[in-house]
Structures are given as C-alpha cells and as structure tokens.
C-alpha cells in the first residue's frame, strides 16, 4: 500500500481465528495478533477457521500444532461443541471493540452453526464454505441463506482441477458467451447469490476473474450448470493438516454433517 494509490477503505480484509485459539481470551488475542501483523486497525471480517480445536503450543502461540508423544495432534476438548463456542465469544468481544466489523464462520456444518446461533449475542453474518459447479453444496448453502446469512465460497474454481477445466457443459456455456470456463464458474456462483473469493497471484488471471462481472448467464445456462453431476469436496481439514482429523468430535464433514 505504501507504493500504490490503494487505501485501506478500498480493501476487504478477512482474518481468521485458528484452531489453537479456541478460548474466549485466546480468540480475542488471535484477532489482535493478526491485526498487528497486518498493521491494520481493524479487519472487515473475522471468522473461526475450523470448528476443530487443537491444544495450543506451550511456548510459541504462532505454532499451528502441538503433538503428542505418538505424533498425533493434541486436541483439548473431548466433548463436542465446546471450543468453537468459546472462540465465538472472543470474536463477539473483538467486534464490540471495533477490531472487526463483522464476524462469521468457516467450514462449519448445520449442526455447528445452530449451536453458535443458540448462544450468539452477535449473529454470524457470513459462513465460508467450499462451493463450485462440481460441488454445489446446495443443502448447506441454501440453509445458510435461509437463515439470513451470506455464503462466501472458497475454492470457487475447484483449485483449477482438470475435472472443472475440462467440463463439457462449462465449456459449452463459455463458448456461447465468448468467455472462459473460469469466468462462467464464477458468474454462476455470483448469480446464485454467493460471494466468491478466487485466489490468484497472476495479474492476467486476476483480470480474467474480474471480467466475470461483465456478463450474465441466462436461465438455460444456469439450468445446464446446475445439472452437472456432482463430485466430492476437494478441501477437507484432513487434507490440510498433517494427520487425518475425522476422529475429532467437532470434525465438520462426517456422515451427519448436514452438508
């Protein structure tokens, strides 16, 4: 920002409370730590990154994991629905003090969002989940919007996987509008009323993504894309963490996850 004309009010900044900060006090400290790193006075959105809680490192609060003697990640809350509820109270305190403008959740299932709503003084305004044409996530996203919260879609291009890039339906719609499969995928999500956050470090790709704002899909296009056979999620906490996490009591993607 020191070398451009961009000002803070032109940015939308999202910060997240990591899984080792799942107490009221530590969640609040996590918000302050990230703002200090960014050298900002506030973030626009503060989210709980995962409902999964992990034991904090004894000496280094920035360490993502604490390991047991057998090499597994230590999880401090054997009971279900404990840690993330405490973290939510810390986020509420951060919003009340103006450190974040709005607060929300990421990677939560319906059961877990209901638990948050049952104790929340400040209601979540947004829930960040995976959503793209090959994983519409309809049940969860429709439920979120039906409860007056916004859906923020990560991996809206499925990490540019071959299954999306080479999809015949998406290519057919792209050819019709003289756009790319990426632009069609982003436009489809936006016309469903979702916020999309594609990631790219390449300026040409960033411009390509922005151009998805400059056209519209008709209902026939939307119907064709909505009929694409669905695949599994591409992002799981177990893919991101050093070990598999499905045994955690708050693992959000189990058989009864409602998403």
């Amino acid at each position: 920002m020191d070398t451009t004309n961009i000002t803070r009010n032109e940015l939308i900044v999202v910060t997240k409370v990591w899984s080792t900060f799942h107490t009221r006090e530590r969640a609040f400290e996590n918000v302050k730590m990230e703002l200090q790193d960014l050298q900002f006075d506030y973030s626009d959105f503060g989210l709980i990154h995962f409902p999964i809680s992990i034991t904090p490192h004894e000496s280094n609060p920035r360490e993502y994991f604490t390991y047991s003697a057998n090499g597994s990640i230590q999880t401090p809350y054997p009971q279900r629905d404990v840690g993330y509820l405490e973290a939510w109270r810390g986020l509420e305190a951060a919003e009340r003090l103006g450190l974040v403008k709005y607060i929300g959740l990421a990677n939560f299932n319906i059961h877990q969002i209901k638990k948050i709503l049952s104790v929340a003084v400040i209601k979540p305004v947004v829930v960040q989940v995976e959503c793209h044409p090959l994983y519409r996530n309809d049940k969860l996203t429709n439920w979120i919007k039906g409860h007056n919260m916004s859906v923020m879609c990560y991996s809206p291009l499925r990490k540019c996987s071959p299954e999306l890039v080479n999809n015949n339906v998406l290519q057919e719609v792209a050819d019709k509008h003289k756009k790319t499969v990426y632009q069609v995928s982003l436009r489809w999500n936006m016309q469903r009323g979702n916020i999309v956050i594609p990631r790219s470090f390449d300026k040409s790709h960033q411009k390509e993504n922005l151009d998805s704002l400059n056209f519209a899909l008709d209902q026939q296009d939307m119907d064709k894309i909505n009929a694409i056979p669905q695949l599994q999620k591409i992002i799981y906490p177990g893919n991101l963490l050093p070990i598999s996490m499905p045994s955690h009591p708050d693992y959000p993607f189990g058989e009864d996850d409602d998403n």
Side-chain angles (χ1 to χ4, degrees), residues 18-250:
W18 178 243
S19 295
T20 53
F21 291 86
H22 280 193
T23 68
R24 189 178 317 194
E25 295 78 10
R26 285 182 61 78
F28 184 79
E29 287 301 316
N30 194 172
V31 173
K32 293 202 299 183
M33 187 174 72
E34 292 203 339
L35 292 178
Q36 183 178 17
D37 290 345
L38 291 166
Q39 299 181 46
F40 288 156
D41 295 326
Y42 69 94
S43 65
D44 296 276
F45 293 92
L47 313 180
I48 300 178
H49 201 145
F50 290 116
I52 296 169
S53 301
I54 298 172
T55 301
H57 194 275
E58 290 183 3
S59 59
N60 183 4
R62 295 177 181 273
E63 191 69 45
Y64 274 14
F65 311 109
T66 298
Y67 295 94
S68 302
N70 64 3
S72 63
I73 294 176
Q74 292 184 9
T75 55
Y77 302 108
Q79 299 86 16
R80 194 179 186 193
D81 307 323
V82 176
Y84 63 79
L85 295 181
E86 287 299 306
W88 184 254
R89 294 182 173 96
L91 271 184
E92 288 182 325
E95 180 175 330
R96 282 193 291 267
L97 291 176
L99 299 181
V100 295
K101 284 188 174 181
Y102 306 102
I103 53 179
L105 308 167
N107 299 295
F108 276 57
N109 62 40
I110 291 175
H111 162 79
Q112 293 162 339
I113 301 170
K114 286 180 178 178
K115 292 296 292 187
I116 291 287
L117 293 175
S118 73
V119 302
V121 177
I122 302 174
K123 181 180 176 179
V125 299
V126 66
V127 184
Q128 189 183 103
V129 297
E130 181 179 340
C131 182
H132 47 74
L134 302 189
Y135 182 73
R136 292 190 304 271
N137 211 351
D138 282 336
K139 183 176 181 180
L140 178 59
T141 56
N142 289 339
W143 188 91
I144 292 167
K145 287 183 282 190
H147 287 76
N148 298 314
M149 294 173 281
S150 296
V151 173
M152 182 182 290
C153 300
Y154 66 73
S155 296
L157 301 177
R158 194 180 160 81
K159 302 183 72 173
C160 299
S161 70
E163 294 88 354
L164 183 136
V165 174
N166 300 319
N167 184 272
N168 291 333
V169 173
L170 294 175
Q171 188 60 62
E172 178 185 339
V173 175
D175 291 342
K176 171 182 172 181
H177 292 276
K178 296 182 173 56
K179 299 294 182 181
T180 67
V181 164
Y182 302 131
Q183 291 166 331
V184 166
S185 298
L186 295 176
R187 187 69 204 177
W188 165 84
N189 232 333
M190 287 186 284
Q191 288 190 205
R192 284 161 55 91
N194 299 332
I195 303 164
V196 294
I197 47 171
R199 183 181 69 175
S200 176
F201 298 101
D202 183 281
K203 284 190 176 181
S204 64
H205 290 162
Q206 292 169 0
K207 291 178 180 178
E208 179 182 349
N209 292 339
L210 284 171
D211 194 42
S212 61
L213 298 169
N214 299 326
F215 76 106
L217 302 174
D218 59 34
Q219 190 57 51
Q220 184 180 36
D221 299 328
M222 295 294 290
D223 291 342
K224 285 182 179 179
I225 297 172
N226 288 334
I228 292 174
Q230 297 293 276
L231 301 179
Q232 295 296 312
K233 288 174 57 64
I234 197 168
I235 301 293
Y236 288 92
N239 295 342
L240 302 177
L241 303 181
I243 64 169
S244 178
M245 297 297 288
S247 60
H248 193 286
D250 293 322

